[in-house]
Amino acid sequence: MTDQVVEQRILEQSMRITATGAVTGWAALRLHGGNFFDGLARDGTTRLPVPLAAGTDRFAGHPDIVRTRDNLDQGEVVLRYGIRCTIVARAVYDEMRRIGEVREAAVVMDMAVAAGLISIPAMRTYARSRAGSGNRLVLAALELADAGSRSPGESRFRLIWELDAGWPRPLTNRSVFDLEGRFLGIPDLLDPDLGIVGEYDGADHRGIARHRRDVRREDLFRRAGLEYVEVVGSDLHDPSLIVDRMEAAKARAGRMPRLWVVGQRDGRRA
């Protein structure tokens, strides 16, 4: 069925726009190039309604859309593939408010940055220019956002790391080298003081070749004196399990000599 293709769903629902409205939220971010905005809920199967900023347009409600009636400045509307869309900042803002929960709103921001669509400082400037319902949540979520995350699972793991375990914000996706300058790997999360690596293994880690690389990297990290915390997608629904795993790693940390250094964000050795 063609409506199973997310872009097709967006196109079909955009036909409800008549004059001043625009596609916004996750759907606009998809059209702007944000591949993680796939139109599915966190369960990976439930289809999200397409968000439409109504402007002055009037159209009937429908289960396949969700409307926002906030004022829509026409300067915030651009064409993407012939479809009227809100600019990235407005789309992120609307999506964060639609979600209505600060952690998942932070994940939205992380994924917009990961796609190269906008920076956290630019989004903060935009949010501060806005007023009204949901603005406080958006600003709070921006304080939790991190420019180094590469997947929603990584972001959710990091937020458990910070908010549930109460650990300092980890370094995200930074290269690690041994003392002779040999590259060891790029952990998802890293506490450089405790010497603990956090790895989120999503669906893309299930192939034999990828799993083999992951096992090899873990071995290199451990040989260099780093402790390891690994989580999979289902673990994220049980923060207490992850916190317990982290505390166990903390109890083991520091037993081996520190034979590693952190590189710069561009991948070079520091």
Side-chain angles (χ1 to χ4, degrees):
M1 295 176 60
T2 57
D3 69 350
Q4 296 298 320
V5 178
V6 63
E7 290 81 4
Q8 181 68 23
R9 287 206 291 125
I10 297 169
L11 173 63
E12 290 177 0
Q13 299 310 319
S14 75
M15 299 300 181
R16 300 175 186 276
I17 297 166
T18 58
T20 64
V23 172
T24 191
W26 68 261
L29 294 170
R30 179 74 176 196
L31 296 180
H32 280 292
N35 288 335
F36 279 111
F37 300 97
D38 58 6
L40 298 176
R42 185 173 172 179
D43 62 13
T45 58
T46 302
R47 299 197 313 181
L48 297 171
V50 174
L52 300 179
T56 59
D57 289 356
R58 294 181 180 274
F59 42 80
H62 191 276
D64 290 337
I65 64 169
V66 59
R67 292 178 294 179
T68 172
R69 294 194 177 278
D70 285 8
N71 291 334
L72 179 60
D73 186 329
Q74 294 305 294
E76 292 188 333
V77 178
V78 295
L79 287 178
R80 292 291 296 173
Y81 309 104
I83 299 173
R84 286 173 58 87
C85 295
T86 56
I87 60 173
V88 168
R90 174 63 188 267
V92 172
Y93 189 84
D94 285 349
E95 183 65 6
M96 293 171 83
R97 291 190 306 161
R98 180 195 68 79
I99 285 175
E101 194 277 319
V102 69
R103 291 199 197 197
E104 286 301 297
V107 174
V108 169
M109 186 68 238
D110 284 2
M111 293 305 96
V113 175
L117 301 181
I118 194 169
S119 69
I120 295 171
M123 190 63 213
R124 186 177 290 114
T125 298
Y126 177 84
R128 286 172 176 166
S129 74
R130 298 294 303 265
S133 174
N135 196 55
R136 182 176 297 180
L137 179 144
V138 171
L139 291 171
L142 290 173
E143 293 305 308
L144 294 177
D146 187 281
S149 184
R150 293 180 179 174
S151 76
E154 283 185 26
S155 293
R156 292 175 181 127
F157 182 17
R158 179 182 60 79
L159 291 167
I160 290 171
W161 184 291
E162 294 183 45
L163 301 180
D164 296 294
W167 288 18
R169 177 166 294 196
L171 301 178
T172 50
N173 289 295
R174 293 281 292 274
S175 298
V176 175
F177 300 84
D178 69 15
L179 299 184
E180 284 70 47
R182 290 185 291 265
F183 176 71
L184 300 179
I186 302 175
D188 297 338
L189 310 178
L190 172 65
D191 186 311
D193 296 319
L194 292 176
I196 295 178
V197 160
E199 286 290 336
Y200 171 73
D201 287 350
D204 60 326
H205 290 249
R206 294 172 188 165
I208 294 174
R210 178 61 183 267
H211 181 65
R212 183 173 182 271
R213 291 196 299 271
D214 289 345
V215 170
R216 173 59 176 161
R217 181 174 59 173
E218 179 179 352
D219 179 60
L220 291 173
F221 283 155
R222 290 189 182 279
R223 287 171 183 262
L226 285 161
E227 260 302 331
Y228 216 77
V229 179
E230 183 176 6
V231 304
V232 296
S234 59
D235 293 338
L236 297 173
H237 298 287
D238 187 358
S240 63
L241 180 151
I242 295 175
V243 172
D244 181 68
R245 200 172 292 167
M246 292 171 63
E247 291 298 329
K250 184 177 180 179
R252 297 190 302 266
R255 295 180 181 178
M256 291 182 61
R258 177 170 173 153
L259 304 176
W260 55 274
V261 294
V262 181
Q264 299 177 11
R265 188 170 290 280
D266 62 8
R268 295 178 298 168
R269 187 178 176 185

